[in-house]
Amino acid sequence: MFIKKHPLALAIGALLLNASIMAHAVPQAEDPASAYQGGPSEVDAAAVGIVRSPGAPDLTEEEFEYAQKTYFERCAGCHGVLRKGATGKPLTPDITQERGQAYLQALISYGSPAGMPNWGSSGELTEDEIRIMASYIQHAPPVPPEWGMADMRESWKVLVKPEDRPTKQMNKLDLGNLFSVTLRDDGKIALIDGKSKEIIKTIETGYAVHISRMSASGRYLLVIGRDARIDMIDLWAKEPTKVAEIKVGIEARSVETSKFKGYEDKYVIAGDYWPPQYTIMDGETLEPLKIVSTRGMVVGTQEYHPEPRVAAIIASHEHPEFIVNVKETGKVLLVNYEDIENLTTTMIGTAPFLHDGGWDVSHRYFMTAANNSNKVAVIDSKDRKMTALVDVGKTPHPGRGANFVHPEFGPVWATSHLGDATISLIGTDPEDHPDQAWKVVDTLKGQGGGSLFIKTHPKSQHLYLDTTFNPDEKISQSVAVFDIQNFGAGYKVLPIAEWAGVTDGAKRVVQPEYNEAGDEVWFSVWSGQEEQSAIVVVDDKTLELKHVIKDKRLITPTGKFNVHNTQHDVY
């Protein structure tokens, strides 16, 4: 659509966008990485104060309140709560005041080809709202409140004491084939039976549950919401029952339990986005025991970062340790929990910004994405060191990744990417395939960028990947599947959203997840809170539709976690 002459655009167009972009008002290219990373922060704008800075345009209290709320909802996911930058550029006053009001208004209005949304030309913000936001980011960012031991203990609840819980499984559920399904915008999870495909129960949780994790014993299911609330669910009860809960911060993503022999179910750990810290808790009650800050220096530049968020956490099988990804500083922490009163930590420098990852097939090497550096770091959990830093495609986002035996290169671990259509296969067998170990041995091409998860199973011959945030709805509503024994044949497209029979909504397809037997793959068809969603079950042998789960309680389903596969790190 052609944009008529606008005084602001005419005055500063040369500063910001090239002539062709300004002339035709090309909307900001839909960047799947920004779409994924730029979700709202759970920081409550009302909980932070107003900061007025010299040299910045003044705002009324009402305008400050609006700007703070808008920033946390729309901007903090990319630029950081403290505006130090992450997926988006830094927006601290030394930078923003130098750019000036006109430049900032144009940037917010028209966006940039690098990934900044066009909030004004898209109609999402008015001209006056853009003025307020441009003024607001010239003031120093307000610092949200901390969240310490007193706050945690106040939020901590033991709903069923350990001594009042059963000593054996009291229900007839096939726990190994039970699925914990995130109902993202409904603040719940659904427990779905893998055989009957029926919802056993929905359980209220924190907002936008990010992951579900199983205790080492397979008894306790732990879920953590983006609001940093953890719920512990006892699957042995007569019906699955929440037995403890705690809020470990203001915003969070990760939770894990101890799995090393002799420490099974002893500890739980959770990592925060805000405050930047992790907390170790009692494994049966969630009583908070130890809080450790992750603020510190960035790998390489050695510059201080006040907001290094905790991303993925995984439990070591080689030592009594948690492996903790610290996002912005690019550091992997090996946190030894043998003596939490005298905590010892091994710090490994990798690359920014660390995100998610999973084990190789041996459960010795942690393969983790440094997605802003387009690399995968390989951490040897046995020898406690980084084995390799592997260049991959643009913005890797593997979930836990996928392990399988390549017909030519032997055991590999695969990641797909948010930023391009490629799939990187990394050799993981230094014993029998030393020439291929810790290198990209093959690069496949899928449907397009915007992939969040890639998945296979030891009993499957297929490799699946979603393209949830691809701007083409035909791609975001389907998945690609490869034959592991014949990559030369390319991929087959499965029309998952079409099979679901959902009539409205975005119908984005997300996260392939196998059942315990490895002969079914479940996909979420994710639409809005007021729209119908579904789960589609595919027969892994035939690649044909097997079942569609529809239920009025199935609101915004996203992640699905099979109990057996999650408990035993099968992927």
Side-chain angles (χ1 to χ4, degrees):
M1 181 181 70
F2 188 85
I3 293 289
K4 295 181 179 180
K5 292 181 179 180
H6 186 286
L8 178 61
L10 289 174
I12 59 172
L15 277 173
L16 183 61
L17 303 171
N18 62 50
S20 63
I21 291 176
M22 287 298 295
H24 296 89
V26 175
Q28 181 266 341
E30 291 193 52
D31 180 6
S34 293
Y36 176 68
Q37 299 283 5
S41 168
E42 286 304 301
V43 173
D44 182 3
V48 298
I50 293 174
V51 178
R52 285 185 165 87
S53 299
D58 198 16
L59 293 169
T60 66
E61 288 193 13
E62 291 78 11
E63 289 172 334
F64 264 112
E65 289 174 5
Y66 163 80
Q68 287 184 172
K69 183 175 186 293
T70 301
Y71 182 84
F72 287 133
E73 288 180 349
R74 298 179 183 240
C75 314
C78 281
H79 298 283
V81 169
L82 300 182
R83 304 192 212 142
K84 290 290 185 178
T87 304
K89 299 291 186 182
L91 295 175
T92 48
D94 58 319
I95 297 171
T96 54
Q97 288 191 21
E98 182 180 349
R99 294 291 188 270
Q101 183 76 10
Y103 179 101
L104 296 173
Q105 286 186 217
L107 180 63
I108 296 169
S109 182
Y110 296 103
S112 78
M116 173 72 179
N118 53 324
W119 298 109
S121 60
S122 68
E124 293 191 58
L125 295 180
T126 67
E127 186 174 332
D128 194 51
E129 288 168 342
I130 290 169
R131 173 192 64 78
I132 293 170
M133 295 308 298
S135 300
Y136 172 73
I137 60 176
Q138 294 177 68
H139 294 267
V143 179
E146 299 295 318
W147 193 271
M149 184 61 76
D151 300 296
M152 290 187 197
R153 296 193 74 88
E154 185 176 351
S155 72
W156 171 51
K157 299 176 184 176
V158 178
L159 306 172
V160 181
K161 296 178 181 179
E163 59 266 28
D164 295 331
R165 301 172 195 170
T167 57
K168 62 180 181 179
Q169 184 178 341
M170 300 301 291
N171 57 62
K172 296 183 179 180
L173 296 174
D174 181 0
L175 296 184
N177 205 27
L178 191 68
F179 287 77
S180 174
V181 179
T182 298
L183 306 180
R184 189 185 185 279
D185 296 332
D186 201 33
K188 297 176 183 175
I189 62 160
L191 298 178
I192 303 181
D193 178 68
K195 183 178 181 180
S196 69
K197 314 297 189 290
E198 297 290 332
I199 294 178
I200 303 300
K201 187 177 185 180
T202 62
I203 298 174
E204 291 189 3
T205 61
Y207 170 73
V209 166
H210 193 66
I211 57 172
S212 296
R213 287 289 180 262
M214 291 305 305
S215 66
S217 66
R219 173 176 187 170
Y220 294 116
L221 171 68
L222 292 113
V223 296
I224 188 166
R226 289 181 58 163
D227 57 0
R229 172 175 154 184
I230 303 172
D231 293 283
M232 173 183 277
I233 299 159
D234 186 358
L235 299 181
W236 283 10
K238 191 172 182 180
E239 67 174 32
T241 300
K242 186 162 58 175
V243 294
E245 67 178 55
I246 190 172
K247 188 170 166 59
V248 293
I250 295 173
E251 186 174 5
R253 296 293 187 278
S254 53
V255 67
E256 181 61 293
T257 68
S258 53
K259 292 184 176 178
F260 189 68
K261 187 176 181 180
Y263 290 88
E264 296 93 338
D265 295 10
K266 185 174 178 62
Y267 293 118
V268 170
I269 185 173
D272 285 343
Y273 267 29
W274 187 269
Q277 61 193 29
Y278 62 84
T279 303
I280 299 175
M281 293 155 278
D282 179 81
E284 283 193 313
T285 66
L286 298 183
E287 179 183 6
L289 303 173
K290 191 82 169 182
I291 306 171
V292 180
S293 172
T294 54
R295 292 177 170 103
M297 315 309 284
V298 177
V299 167
T301 65
Q302 298 295 295
E303 293 181 357
Y304 177 74
H305 199 293
E307 192 189 346
R309 300 171 284 184
V310 177
I313 302 177
I314 198 165
S316 175
H317 299 274
E318 300 285 350
H319 300 282
E321 292 179 339
F322 293 117
I323 303 176
V324 179
N325 275 357
V326 185
K327 197 176 185 79
E328 280 77 9
T329 55
K331 293 175 181 177
V332 175
L333 309 180
L334 309 184
V335 180
N336 190 291
Y337 50 73
E338 287 181 284
D339 180 1
I340 65 168
E341 292 304 318
N342 299 283
L343 202 66
T344 59
T345 302
T346 300
M347 186 179 296
I348 301 173
T350 62
F353 296 126
L354 291 172
H355 196 61
D356 56 359
W359 292 115
D360 79 308
V361 72
S362 73
H363 291 171
R364 172 176 173 174
Y365 297 96
F366 177 44
M367 316 287 291
T368 184
N371 55 23
N372 201 55
S373 301
N374 303 326
K375 298 180 186 295
V376 167
V378 182
I379 305 298
D380 184 343
S381 67
K382 182 177 181 179
D383 290 346
R384 295 184 171 105
K385 63 181 182 180
M386 184 167 69
T387 298
L389 197 55
V390 185
D391 291 319
V392 293
K394 185 179 179 182
T395 320
H397 193 286
R400 307 300 287 272
N403 289 295
F404 59 92
V405 178
H406 191 283
E408 181 179 353
F409 303 113
V412 298
W413 178 90
T415 181
S416 53
H417 300 87
L418 272 164
D420 65 35
T422 65
I423 301 102
S424 299
L425 310 185
I426 299 172
T428 61
D429 185 13
E431 296 288 332
D432 296 327
H433 297 79
D435 293 340
Q436 283 78 42
W438 320 129
K439 300 174 184 176
V440 174
V441 297
D442 199 2
T443 301
L444 311 176
K445 188 172 182 179
Q447 293 194 85
S451 177
L452 290 181
F453 299 101
I454 187 167
K455 188 75 73 168
T456 188
H457 188 280
K459 296 179 181 178
S460 173
Q461 69 172 22
H462 293 121
L463 177 69
Y464 299 83
L465 69 151
D466 61 25
T467 35
T468 311
F469 284 117
N470 194 284
D472 185 335
E473 68 177 24
K474 290 182 179 179
I475 296 176
S476 68
Q477 294 177 5
S478 61
V479 300
V481 54
F482 291 85
D483 183 339
I484 288 171
Q485 300 303 314
N486 186 17
F487 284 115
Y491 58 84
K492 182 176 181 178
V493 176
L494 304 185
I496 301 298
E498 179 184 325
W499 285 349
V502 175
T503 57
D504 57 0
K507 296 178 283 189
R508 296 184 184 275
V509 176
V510 62
Q511 201 224 18
E513 177 75 349
Y514 281 83
N515 63 345
E516 180 181 9
D519 58 10
E520 293 178 355
V521 190
W522 294 33
F523 298 90
S524 296
V525 179
W526 172 24
S527 289
Q529 191 168 6
E530 303 301 323
E531 299 160 332
Q532 187 180 46
S533 293
I535 291 175
V536 170
V537 181
V538 172
D539 187 315
D540 180 60
K541 304 299 181 186
T542 65
L543 301 183
E544 295 176 352
L545 174 64
K546 186 171 183 178
H547 190 84
V548 177
I549 305 173
K550 290 182 180 177
D551 190 295
K552 64 181 181 181
R553 295 170 291 176
L554 205 59
I555 298 170
T556 59
T558 51
K560 301 162 300 302
F561 302 87
N562 173 267
V563 165
H564 176 271
N565 295 339
T566 304
Q567 177 187 356
H568 298 286
D569 293 315
V570 177
Y571 38 81

